[in-house]
Amino acid sequence: MDIRPLAQADRSQWDALWRGYLEFYETTLPTETYDATFAALLLEKDMCGLVADDGGRLLGLAHIVFHAHCWRPEGVTYLQDLFTMPDARGRGVGRALIEAVYALADARGRPSVYWTTQHFNTDARQLYDRVGQLTPFIKYVRPT
């Protein structure tokens, strides 16, 4: 398995991966959002994508956002989306993607990495508890 940057040729498999991720969170998005997100990830400026490639089959994805932060002048790295194909879980794909995000954050001079998940995502949280540190923060959003 190779962890590498998302490429234009990955579009159809990326669509399937991201659709699986969004289905897990009971979310749907319009086609325009898929198009805009994929294009932004390929630019590799404020956002980028990594994929876990197993001989041409994509097993997982990570979407990364680099942004400014008032407490850290160098900025921070947000692991916005992480998803592994159900049949590839338990094979180290998620860990490999997170470690690649850590390496990318270090290379970009933004070593502070964070992510969120829902409290009921118990399978993923078993990995997160091994590779990250749980914080006491509670997330709020603007009401719609």
Side-chain angles (χ1 to χ4, degrees), residues 3 17-18 20-22 24-25 50-52 59-64 78-85 89 92-101 115-117 121 124-125 127-128 131:
I3 305 298
L17 284 165
W18 204 33
Y21 174 83
L22 294 171
F24 177 81
Y25 285 109
L50 297 175
V51 291
L59 301 179
L61 62 73
H63 296 159
I64 304 107
Y78 175 38
L79 172 54
Q80 185 168 2
D81 306 317
L82 180 71
F83 183 74
T84 300
M85 294 296 284
R89 294 186 183 146
V93 177
R95 176 185 285 272
L97 284 163
I98 291 171
E99 289 174 353
V101 171
W115 63 94
T116 62
T117 195
N121 192 0
R125 291 185 65 193
L127 169 62
Y128 300 162
V131 300

Side-chain angles (χ1 to χ4, degrees), residues 36-124:
T37 299
F38 190 77
L41 292 168
L42 291 179
L43 288 176
E44 296 190 15
K45 291 184 179 179
D46 296 332
M47 296 173 61
C48 68
L50 297 175
V51 291
D53 186 335
D54 186 23
R57 179 176 179 240
L58 299 187
L59 301 179
L61 62 73
H63 296 159
I64 304 107
V65 178
F66 302 98
H67 66 86
H69 193 281
C70 294
W71 295 3
R72 296 182 182 273
E74 71 277 10
V76 296
T77 303
Y78 175 38
L79 172 54
Q80 185 168 2
D81 306 317
L82 180 71
F83 183 74
T84 300
M85 294 296 284
D87 66 337
R89 294 186 183 146
R91 295 175 38 194
V93 177
R95 176 185 285 272
L97 284 163
I98 291 171
E99 289 174 353
V101 171
Y102 287 169
L104 183 60
D106 290 346
R108 293 222 180 171
R110 295 171 180 235
S112 178
V113 177
Y114 73 100
W115 63 94
T116 62
T117 195
Q118 291 180 322
H119 66 89
F120 60 78
N121 192 0
T122 54
D123 290 341

Side-chain angles (χ1 to χ4, degrees), residues 122-141:
T122 54
D123 290 341
R125 291 185 65 193
Q126 289 178 23
L127 169 62
Y128 300 162
D129 288 343
R130 291 191 301 271
V131 300
Q133 179 180 356
L134 181 63
T135 72
F137 283 89
I138 297 169
K139 178 183 177 185
Y140 287 88
V141 297

